[in-house]
Amino acid sequence: MKYIVILIIVLYCSVNTFAQLNPQSKQITQKFFPEIETLENTTPALQKNKGFTDYDDLMLFLNNLVEQHPENIKLNFIGKSQKGYQIPLVLLATQNTKEKIKVWMQGGLHGNEPASTEGMLYLLDKLLNDSKYTYLLDDIDLAIVPMANIDGYLKQDRYAANGLDLNRDQTKLMAPESVSLKQAFSDFNPEIGLDFHEYRPYRKDFTQLSDFGITSLFDAMFLYSGNLNVPENIRTLTDTLFVENARRILDKNELKHHDYISTGKYGGEIHFNQGSTNA
Ligand SMILES: [Zn+2]
């Protein structure tokens, strides 16, 4: 059976934004997330004192990897952003003849969620340069679009240059970036697709639930195939196989996770909404 599973993974934002914090926020972050200090500074934004990965940083980082690992990595471009930036697609594989699972990953579809792009770059470095992880490429063919919405990303803005939310444009394909992504996704024809996002730990509504302002308990939240238009067997498989495996690994590493929830206020009450149920 050929199946495609789309997972949206939402990452807690402190990883990437740590360097950007003011001293007081930095203290709070250090207190509650001391492990962030142990991140290796392997990606452009983690190497900077200020600012995020810009387009030149991104291309330099990717071209360096291609130079160091020409046998394992290929750099393609799938189209242009509305402002004319070529959108890079990184293809990773080892040269064995084993049948592999094809996995698609993308980050930066929302331009103001930089942990998603930086996470992709961190992963690329790990898969190519860290012997603890390189074996993974024996079993998967991986396609990564690290910065899907380049115009938005460069302004740290959620939307594409024409004001569209690209994460709400996957059916109508009104933005050229959406067409390029869809075409490249179909050409690659993956079994699994992952789309990385980022959320703020601080949410106004949550402050009423505890004494402390930083709110979200979770290191990762999953938003996956909840819409009833998705065939039930795919929804079940996603939950019981792919997400379950990810949950288990997060548990093992003492990281907290949950299905994606957001809050809204209705008649003075806070309601928790489960994500991924609309079309
Ligand atoms: Zn997002």
Side-chain angles (χ1 to χ4, degrees):
M1 183 186 69
K2 178 86 187 171
Y3 49 80
I4 296 178
V5 172
I6 310 284
L7 290 172
I8 296 181
I9 298 194
V10 192
L11 301 168
Y12 176 66
C13 79
S14 59
V15 172
N16 183 261
T17 46
F18 186 60
Q20 330 290 331
L21 297 170
N22 66 40
Q24 198 203 349
S25 308
K26 213 165 182 165
Q27 262 178 12
I28 293 172
T29 307
Q30 268 161 347
K31 181 173 168 198
F32 288 92
F33 304 98
E35 73 278 11
I36 287 165
E37 288 282 34
T38 66
L39 269 186
E40 293 164 52
N41 285 345
T42 49
T43 67
L46 291 170
Q47 282 161 8
K48 292 183 183 186
N49 285 324
K50 200 169 185 301
F52 296 106
T53 299
D54 63 26
Y55 190 72
D56 289 342
D57 297 334
L58 174 72
M59 293 316 302
L60 184 66
F61 180 85
L62 297 178
N63 283 318
N64 279 342
L65 288 179
V66 173
E67 216 166 274
Q68 289 156 14
H69 305 275
E71 68 289 354
N72 294 130
I73 177 169
K74 242 174 46 195
L75 182 57
N76 288 348
F77 295 95
I78 61 172
K80 281 185 180 172
S81 76
Q82 291 164 50
K83 295 212 164 148
Y85 290 99
Q86 296 266 15
I87 305 168
L89 166 75
V90 182
L91 296 165
L92 286 170
T94 49
Q95 309 299 326
N96 65 36
T97 50
K98 247 167 121 180
E99 200 186 333
K100 297 179 200 160
I101 299 172
K102 287 170 130 187
V103 181
W104 171 278
M105 294 184 180
Q106 62 185 42
L109 194 63
H110 284 147
N112 60 342
E113 298 175 5
S116 62
T117 290
E118 216 60 25
M120 295 290 91
L121 303 183
Y122 201 80
L123 178 73
L124 278 168
D125 177 69
K126 285 278 163 208
L127 288 172
L128 290 164
N129 291 325
D130 188 332
S131 57
K132 273 194 293 194
Y133 301 98
T134 46
Y135 78 96
L136 287 167
L137 293 180
D138 294 339
D139 295 306
I140 54 174
D141 276 338
L142 190 54
I144 295 183
V145 180
M147 198 184 279
N149 171 13
I150 297 171
D151 299 342
Y153 197 94
L154 297 179
K155 291 192 300 178
Q156 285 301 302
D157 185 276
R158 179 178 177 94
Y159 304 100
N162 63 353
L164 280 181
D165 183 334
L166 298 182
N167 204 28
R168 308 288 184 272
D169 188 37
Q170 306 194 16
T171 309
K172 287 170 94 177
L173 305 177
M174 289 163 72
E177 290 91 343
S178 307
V179 176
S180 301
L181 287 164
K182 180 91 165 183
Q183 184 66 57
F185 184 88
S186 302
D187 291 345
F188 184 65
N189 197 19
E191 278 93 22
I192 304 172
L194 301 110
D195 187 14
F196 288 83
H197 287 254
E198 173 183 333
Y199 68 90
R200 276 168 198 265
Y202 181 87
R203 296 194 182 192
K204 206 170 67 193
D205 292 338
F206 285 45
T207 55
Q208 298 177 30
L209 303 176
S210 74
D211 302 333
F212 188 66
I214 287 182
T215 51
S216 191
L217 296 168
F218 308 110
D219 298 290
M221 292 167 110
F222 296 98
L223 182 58
Y224 54 95
S225 306
N227 186 302
L228 296 177
N229 289 330
V230 176
E232 190 180 0
N233 58 352
I234 293 184
R235 280 184 275 131
T236 306
L237 187 75
T238 306
D239 186 27
T240 57
L241 179 64
F242 294 108
V243 181
E244 190 51 31
N245 275 336
R247 287 186 195 112
R248 230 176 284 153
I249 289 164
L250 288 164
D251 284 339
K252 216 169 89 184
N253 288 282
E254 297 181 343
L255 294 167
K256 295 191 183 78
H257 54 84
H258 200 277
D259 285 356
Y260 185 79
I261 45 166
S262 60
T263 57
K265 254 194 176 157
Y266 302 89
E269 288 186 332
I270 298 167
H271 287 200
F272 288 83
N273 305 312
Q274 187 178 0
S276 192
T277 48
N278 63 15

